[in-house]
Amino acid sequence: MSSLPEKYDHTATEKTAQAFWERSAAFKAVEDATKPKYYCLSMFPYPSGKLHMGHVRNYTIGDVLTRFHKMRGYNVMQPMGWDAFGLPAENAAIANKVPPAKWTYDNIEYMKGQLKSLGFAIDWSRELATCKPEYYKWNQWLFLRMLEKGIAYKKTQVVNWDPVDQTVLANEQVIDGRGWRTGAVVEKREIPGYYLAITQYADELLNDLDTLDQWPERVRLMQANWIGKSTGVRFAFPHEIKDETGTLINDGKLWVFTTRADTIMGVTFCAVAAEHPLATHAAKNNPELAAFIQKCKSGSVMEADMATMEKEGLPTGLFVTHPLTGEQVEVWVGNYVLMSYGDGAVMGVPSHDERDFAFAKKYGLTIKQVIAVAGKEFSTEAWQEWYGDKENGVCINSGKYDGLSYSAAIDAIASDIKALGLGDKKLQWRLRDWGVSRQRYWGCPIPIIHCDDCGSVPVPDDQLPVVLPEDCVPDGSGNPLHKRPDFLNCACPKCGKPARRETDTMDTFVDSSWYYARFATPGNDTAMVDERVNYWLPVDQYIGGIEHAILHLLYSRFWTKVMGDLGLVNYREPFKRLLTQGMVLNHLFSRRSDKTGIEWFAPEEIDLVKDEAGRVTGATAKRDGNPVDYGGYGTMSKSKRNGVDPNAMIEQYGADTSRFFMMFTAPPEQTLEWSDAGIEGSYRFLKRVWAFGHVFASQIKPQLPASRTLASAKLNDKLGSLRREIHLLLKQANYDLGKQQFNTVASSCMKMLNALEKAPRDSGIAAEVIEECFGILLRVLSPITPHITHTLWADLGYVKNEGDDILSAPWPEPLEAALVQDEIELVLQVLGKTRGSVKVPAGADNKAIEALAIASEAAQKFMEGKPAKKVIVVPGRLVNIVV
RNA sequence: GCCGGGGUGGCGGAAUCGGUAGACGCAGCGGAUUCAAAAUCCGCCGCCGAAAGGCGCGAGGGUUCGAGUCCCUCUCCCGGCACCA
């Protein structure tokens, strides 16, 4: 046993522990069929430059689970990689004239060092970066498989076009309708692009949500809403409307979708979107309509505006035929009809749809009641909540359908329409196919070659990967690949003639849709994944931000199903359990001035003003002592100057303190409010842990017993209750770890130390009890603060074999023998009000407990001489006397 | 508007099956130590009340011996979706 230094030196402690883990390859994961496996994964970071607090929180949660399961005997893998393609690298290139590749690799190097300084149990031998050809080769390979299966296909897409830079802009590069660099008004352009038919999997993606019972309910709901399944009838209004060349527009059919086919006899108009072909046609000789259509197209898409937007429309003067009644129905253009949903047209039933009702009232259209609801009176004056009451409605004024209920009417009407060849029942999805083409340089090249004779030709497998040149420096105008003949020029794989490579790259969501599978099969350069993938996958625990609740997780689920259908993997869902961690917030301080606008202050530039009760009543700037506005808590951001740098935190307090604070301050799913005083408190706790270990090691000098004698030893009151308390806290901590509620695990550790510090240390048996209890504390604490516990564990002489440390020690379990007690204290209630407590022997039956309770002083006082009518005994908890 | 989640001290947050509300920490107050301060240690710390006691988990009602927890009504906050036909 070496003697511990008195003072807790976090820097030295952490360096030593990290060197040990590095030397012993402590985190290397090897497939082992004899052990249960546990694949713990945190969402990999974008290498933006340096870690932020959100990363620290995310990866600490993952690390706690990783270490906990390792000690529980699982074969654990925790890998890490880099989501390395993306726009910020191109922006940095424009600003600094550095190739995105260099910028990215430099950032990876730096951030990797930061992750190591936090002591995460990561198997770095599995590291990957999505910008490396050995990784993105398989993006390309799977894309080609999707092309073969018809899952990937080509169609035109609308993009933002900067006319000055002659380049396509991403949505986030368009600010108020203008290009971010040039300020030029952005145009919409139609260009060809590749799509992935995620809609082919819509049904399975929706249904399998039910199997994800370890995902947060809200994430499953968000995905279900996003997929947006609705059942209804799609049918057509026939018409004779022809364009100037004499051809029927849309083959003479105006298609609409409805979930309320039972109201079809109440149709008094149709409404189409501004982009609909009938609208375009009608606008040709109608300047007023053309202007209205223009207004709709350029209208605000802000959510708040949409919600309050007035329903507006104009008649087209065109008429279509009602498929069942043969009546002529006028077509309107409505600003509330979306071209992107269904067929961009709706039937108008003012009597039974709230929007149609408002529209009809505004323009004086006919309102024809076709559904009657018992107990409700129809009115053409005010909306009567008919729409929501469809289950109780019955058809009226509907000819042969009169008297039919909601579902019977839909069945009858759908089959009549089908017989006419004008439509059928149909599932409608909100989900749309995934456009993956990006007109950007820093991404995975789409493996297509354009030949004048053969058209778009897929790159043959043996020519993969299509390698992206890493030395381009984008300048903001166009894709730099266009200036690279060495990349651009190639031979057509079909005919051999000179051809051009596709310069579009893939959406970076492609890269992140399967990286978790590649971690299982590092180094394989002949296959995307191999049989090892079915050992490690699915991921047992995935941890990341709620902002990825929809797109990333949905795309990954889709990608998994495609890989499954190709026989590459044998699972259908990639992530068994999901934890979405909350954001990290900090105080916001600002001052508004007429000259400079809003000026933000960093928290360290501020003095808080408090009243005598410690309440914050205001804030002043240290600089001038004048007041600033306190804006509560907000997400940490550079522009608001309220970020906390992980490096500074680690330097000042150490990785263990940082990790402990993150775990202790808030439960993992909730937002975490930063507090300088809070991190001080965490540091104080670890200093006490260190000091206790020091005192324990140098003063008590326990003779670690070869065989434990405690189980049979008769302990005195103080030692017995200390031991019981520690084992109870351990039981609680184990329960909380199962719930993934780490804040209370941390607080259990604090309670253990509080109890240990008060314990008597005056006997050999005391030393033994303390040794057992402190050993429990160290192990429970170790997943959260691995460095300090590693050192104390070793210095107290627990390590028996070279290369072992606390991580290879077994997780402690509470001993029943330590929990029993001779006498238990029950809460005493009279008439449901707590009036004190009563001590009873551990084995006492209810009768004896009742008698003891009634006889107690406190009960006698509050019973006021009245007899007990009823006594309720909750074993081990309380006794309640009713008088 | 719809769908989720939530409202507990000055603050972050505990409370497992309906059973002592406020664990643990922060801030605050008092004390010890110190020439002094920092650090450290000890004590107090929901509200009203001198005390006995009463009141307290967004508001109101209900079920129960007993409700932060279950049921109903309302309210506010957060997140998601949204003229979805």
Side-chain angles (χ1 to χ4, degrees), chain A residues 305 390 395 411 473 482 614 813 871:
Chain A
D305 296 342
K390 61 190 176 192
C395 291
D411 288 345
V473 184
H482 291 144
E813 295 297 337
V871 182

Side-chain angles (χ1 to χ4, degrees), chain A residues 608-773:
Chain A
L608 287 176
V609 183
K610 291 177 183 176
D611 66 9
E612 63 277 14
R615 246 168 300 217
V616 177
T617 54
T620 57
K622 283 180 181 161
R623 188 176 73 198
D624 52 19
N626 292 327
V628 296
D629 297 328
Y630 175 50
Y633 283 94
T635 50
M636 288 189 175
S637 84
K638 220 180 242 179
S639 63
K640 291 178 180 167
R641 305 195 58 230
N642 66 339
V644 177
D645 178 24
N647 274 16
M649 180 176 68
I650 294 165
E651 196 176 314
Q652 191 176 356
Y653 299 104
D656 281 343
T657 296
S658 309
R659 293 167 58 121
F660 187 88
F661 169 74
M662 290 261 156
M663 291 301 100
F664 174 65
T665 304
E669 310 227 59
Q670 281 184 38
T671 56
L672 185 151
E673 291 166 16
W674 186 262
S675 150
D676 288 325
I679 198 161
E680 287 282 355
S682 298
Y683 194 46
R684 213 172 293 156
F685 167 68
L686 290 186
K687 281 193 280 193
R688 279 168 56 210
V689 171
W690 184 271
F692 189 84
H694 176 261
V695 167
F696 178 42
S698 65
Q699 293 181 1
I700 293 182
K701 294 192 176 63
Q703 303 297 306
L704 291 172
S707 65
R708 202 166 291 288
T709 52
L710 278 176
S712 55
K714 185 76 188 155
L715 302 174
N716 68 35
D717 280 356
K718 275 188 177 168
L719 287 173
S721 64
L722 165 71
R723 191 165 181 240
R724 183 166 178 273
E725 188 175 352
I726 300 294
H727 281 266
L728 276 175
L729 286 167
L730 169 61
K731 200 173 177 180
Q732 182 68 50
N734 283 346
Y735 176 82
D736 290 341
L737 279 162
K739 278 203 300 181
Q740 304 190 335
Q741 186 174 292
F742 308 118
N743 54 328
T744 49
V745 176
S747 97
S748 286
C749 291
M750 288 175 143
K751 289 178 196 176
M752 286 186 199
L753 184 65
N754 290 346
L756 279 168
E757 284 178 338
K758 291 191 187 101
R761 302 167 188 174
D762 48 6
S763 64
I765 192 89
E768 264 187 67
V769 171
I770 291 174
E771 187 241 321
E772 178 191 286
C773 293

